[in-house]
Amino acid sequence: MEIHVAKRVVELLYWRDVKTSGVVFGASLSLLLSLTLCSIVSVSSYIGLALLSVTICFRIYKGILQAIQKSDEGHPFKLYLDQDVALSEGTVHKYSDCVLARFNTTVTELRRLFLVEDLVDSLKFAVLMWILTYVGALFNGLTLFILGLVGMFSCPIVYEKYKVQIDHYVGMASKQVKDIIAISKTPPIKEWFCR
């Protein structure tokens, strides 16, 4: 099941079905952009009201249509009302066990970093936190989510289309970095004369 989900996500990000990818991307981007303007309570309420308005109007329309045609079709959402939407106990246990395992691993790692079990790892974490203060000063969390969403839906398709050129330039940049690292590892000129 997890492989099937991963495959569907990849198909979504690579725009294999343009209509589905467009709907998911548009809805997600609209939600994030609306959250920058209004609180999550307001956005949730507006989305709920919009969905409720559509379903109520459709139900009234179908009721009037049935009355005019004197048909006995029944409730227009009967198919969906009859479906079982309850989560099984096994599914809940499976995912709660996964979440619990990840939570415990994260707490253990944070404890190790904050209580300086390994000085080098704690210093790396401190540098990461220091860099994130600058990122936080430039962007808020929603802006980062929006940039991440746009990147998720655009980078894979751009890479797929321009793979050869991108790989060429990444290879050139990688060679330059390796050359710079090799130069920095050679002894300075002063040490050459002191030998």
Side-chain angles (χ1 to χ4, degrees):
M1 180 178 168
E2 292 173 6
I3 295 171
H4 180 67
V5 171
K7 184 180 176 189
R8 297 237 356 190
V9 169
V10 168
E11 288 176 356
L12 193 69
L13 295 179
Y14 277 94
W15 293 77
R16 299 291 184 240
D17 181 10
V18 176
K19 185 178 178 182
T20 306
S21 294
V23 167
V24 170
F25 176 66
S28 303
L29 189 60
S30 299
L31 176 67
L32 289 175
L33 288 174
S34 61
L35 285 174
T36 62
L37 301 174
C38 302
S39 70
I40 193 162
V41 174
S42 297
V43 171
S44 301
S45 299
Y46 286 132
I47 290 172
L49 280 172
L51 289 173
L52 197 56
S53 298
V54 169
T55 55
I56 288 174
C57 289
F58 186 71
R59 171 75 196 272
I60 291 171
Y61 167 75
K62 288 300 253 183
I64 292 172
L65 202 60
Q66 287 174 10
I68 290 173
Q69 295 176 346
K70 294 185 172 75
S71 66
D72 193 24
E73 292 179 18
H75 197 285
F77 298 116
K78 180 135 180 71
L79 175 71
Y80 301 108
L81 289 170
D82 291 341
Q83 287 182 350
D84 184 25
V85 293
L87 290 173
S88 69
E89 217 172 291
T91 305
V92 171
H93 283 300
K94 176 183 167 189
Y95 287 112
S96 63
D97 289 345
C98 283
V99 169
L100 184 62
R102 296 237 173 138
F103 176 77
N104 288 337
T105 304
T106 303
V107 168
T108 303
E109 185 64 21
L110 287 174
R111 181 186 65 184
R112 191 181 76 76
L113 291 171
F114 279 109
L115 298 180
V116 195
E117 183 179 312
D118 183 7
L119 181 62
V120 175
D121 286 346
S122 293
L123 288 174
K124 288 177 186 177
F125 185 65
V127 169
L128 175 67
M129 291 295 108
W130 180 68
I131 291 170
L132 287 177
T133 61
Y134 285 103
V135 172
L138 295 174
F139 305 106
N140 66 17
L142 279 174
T143 306
L144 291 176
F145 277 130
I146 292 169
L147 291 174
L149 180 72
V150 170
M152 278 181 9
F153 276 89
S154 60
C155 290
I157 195 73
V158 168
Y159 179 73
E160 187 177 59
K161 192 170 190 175
Y162 300 105
K163 184 179 186 341
V164 174
Q165 295 93 331
I166 292 171
D167 287 345
H168 173 71
Y169 288 116
V170 167
M172 286 174 48
S174 175
K175 185 181 179 308
Q176 291 287 335
V177 169
K178 287 178 184 175
D179 291 346
I180 291 170
I181 290 173
I183 290 172
S184 68
K185 287 185 178 180
T186 59
I189 296 176
K190 185 177 180 183
E191 288 181 28
W192 284 74
F193 291 117
C194 295
R195 287 184 184 173

